[in-house]
Amino acid sequence: MKVAVVGCGIMGRTHARNWSSVQGVQLVGVCDIDKELADKIAASNGTNAYTSFEDLLAAEQPDMVSICVPTYLHKPLVLQAAQAGIHIVCEKPIAPSLADAEEMIAACRLNNVRLFIAHVVRFFPSYKDLAAKVRAGVIGDPGVMHTKRIGGHPGRAKSWYYDEEKSGGVILDLLIHDIDYMRSVFGEVDSVFAMKRTSESLDYALVTLRFNKGAIANLEGYWGYPGPFTTAVEFAGTKGILRFHSDDAVSLRVQTSRQPDEDRPRVAVPRSPAYHDPYYYELEHFADCILKGTEPIVSTEDAYKAMEIAFAALTSAQSGQPVRMDANGFGLKGGVPHV
C-alpha cells in the first residue's frame, strides 16, 4: 500500500518516520510548502519531496495520505484527497468547527473512502492498560477520574495556535485527547462544565464531564506551563485506585482499598507493557483496517463526538453554566453517519 504525508512539521515527521516502518506500506512521498523542510524529511525517510499536493497525487498516486497540517487547513486537503479516491488519516481535531467536520465526513462517505482521525492516546500502552483494568473491574465501580495534560505554549513556535478560531485553543486541540479517551472507557457524556483562562502567555482549562453511568471526570489542560510536558491520569473506584504519571519511574500504580482485616491498604506496583512509539501502533492499525476492511478502534463518529464535547466545554466556559448533551449530541440535529 502506497502512503504519502502532507505537512512536514512535528506530526508530519512523526507520521513519515513511522509509516516507513509499517510492514506492507511504502512511503512514496512527503509534501510541504517549505521546500527545504520537505527535502530534509524526504531524505531522512528515503522518499520523494513535493511542495504541491496536486503534484504529489499525480506523480505517486498514493492509496492513503496522512494530513498533518494545521487544523484550519485540514478541510481543503481532506476534500481534495476524498475526491481523488484516497483514504485519509487526519490529525485531530477533525476541523476547527463542527460544520467543517460534518462536510469532511460527508465527502468521504460520498467518495467511498475511509477517514481515520488520529486520536493517538488510545494507542499509548499505559493508557490502554489502564482502560483494560478499569473494564476488568480492578477498581470496582468507577467514581471520579482525573487527567492532566500540561506543557509549554505551542504558539511560541507556531503563531496560529494563538488564534482560537484556527486552533480551537487548549480544549479543542489538547484536552480533546482526554475527552476521547475517557469517553472510550465510560461511554456517553450527560453534561459538561468548564472553566477557562486565556492570556497572551497561557491557555488553561478545567473541564468536568458527568457520564450517563454516573462517573465524573475532571480534565485539566494547560498551555504555557513553565515546566516539562506532563500527562497524568487517575481512576478511583469502590475497590481502589489506578494511577499513571508520565514523570513516574513506575509506569502504572494500583492501590486497593483498605480491607477490614488489614492494618493498611494493599499496594501493588505492576508494570504496564513495554513502551513503543504509539504513533506506530496507530498507523499500523489504520493500515490494517484498509487491508482487511475492518473497523478502527477510533471511529470517525468517536472523533466527531469528542469535538461536540469540546465545543460544549467552550460554551460552558463562556456562559459559566453546565451544558447538557442530549441524545443527538451538542448542537447537532440528527446523528453523524459512521465512516
Side-chain angles (χ1 to χ4, degrees), residues 212-233:
N212 289 350
K213 296 180 181 178
I216 294 174
N218 297 305
L219 317 179
E220 182 182 17
Y222 187 179
W223 280 347
Y225 178 66
F229 183 74
T230 302
T231 65
V233 60

Side-chain angles (χ1 to χ4, degrees), residues 28-257:
V28 295
V30 298
C31 180
D32 198 283
I33 58 173
D34 184 333
K35 184 178 187 303
E36 183 178 352
L37 181 58
D39 286 341
K40 178 181 178 180
I41 302 307
S44 64
N45 289 282
T47 191
N48 301 313
Y50 296 87
T51 56
S52 163
F53 189 38
E54 292 81 359
D55 290 347
L56 183 153
L57 296 184
E60 304 295 350
Q61 299 182 1
D63 302 297
M64 182 182 289
V65 61
S66 278
I67 305 296
C68 300
V69 297
T71 302
Y72 67 97
L73 298 176
H74 286 177
K75 178 181 169 181
L77 292 173
V78 167
L79 296 182
Q80 188 174 353
Q83 290 163 6
I86 299 168
H87 302 296
I88 301 157
V89 176
C90 181
E91 267 301 322
K92 51 92 276 255
I94 305 173
S97 74
L98 290 170
D100 281 353
E102 290 180 52
E103 185 176 347
M104 293 158 64
I105 293 169
C108 290
R109 294 186 69 244
L110 179 65
N111 290 280
N112 197 31
V113 301
R114 306 289 295 276
L115 175 61
F116 304 101
I117 306 301
H119 278 284
V120 72
V121 168
R122 296 213 211 173
F123 296 87
F124 274 75
S126 292
Y127 279 78
K128 285 180 63 178
D129 196 24
L130 280 165
K133 284 179 166 58
V134 171
R135 294 184 184 110
V138 170
I139 61 167
D141 295 328
V144 179
M145 291 75 68
H146 300 273
T147 71
K148 176 183 291 186
R149 195 166 299 273
I150 60 177
H153 202 304
R156 296 179 64 183
K158 302 289 184 180
S159 61
W160 65 272
Y161 280 102
Y162 285 121
D163 186 341
E164 194 162 299
E165 290 188 2
K166 292 181 175 180
S167 70
V170 73
I171 291 178
L172 185 64
D173 189 88
L174 186 67
L175 271 184
I176 200 167
H177 279 301
D178 298 301
I179 290 170
D180 172 73
Y181 176 70
M182 283 297 177
R183 181 177 170 272
S184 76
V185 179
F186 296 105
E188 300 305 330
V189 170
D190 178 70
S191 65
V192 181
F193 179 74
M195 296 181 289
K196 189 172 186 288
R197 181 189 174 192
T198 305
S199 71
E200 292 183 2
S201 60
L202 68 85
D203 194 355
Y204 177 87
L206 184 63
V207 177
T208 298
L209 308 179
R210 182 181 292 273
F211 292 87
N212 289 350
K213 296 180 181 178
I216 294 174
N218 297 305
L219 317 179
E220 182 182 17
Y222 187 179
W223 280 347
Y225 178 66
F229 183 74
T230 302
T231 65
V233 60
E234 177 183 284
F235 296 89
T238 56
K239 293 182 179 179
I241 298 170
L242 287 164
R243 289 194 182 103
F244 164 80
H245 196 291
S246 59
D247 292 342
D248 199 334
V250 177
S251 59
L252 177 63
R253 293 185 181 273
V254 182
Q255 179 171 320
T256 58
S257 298

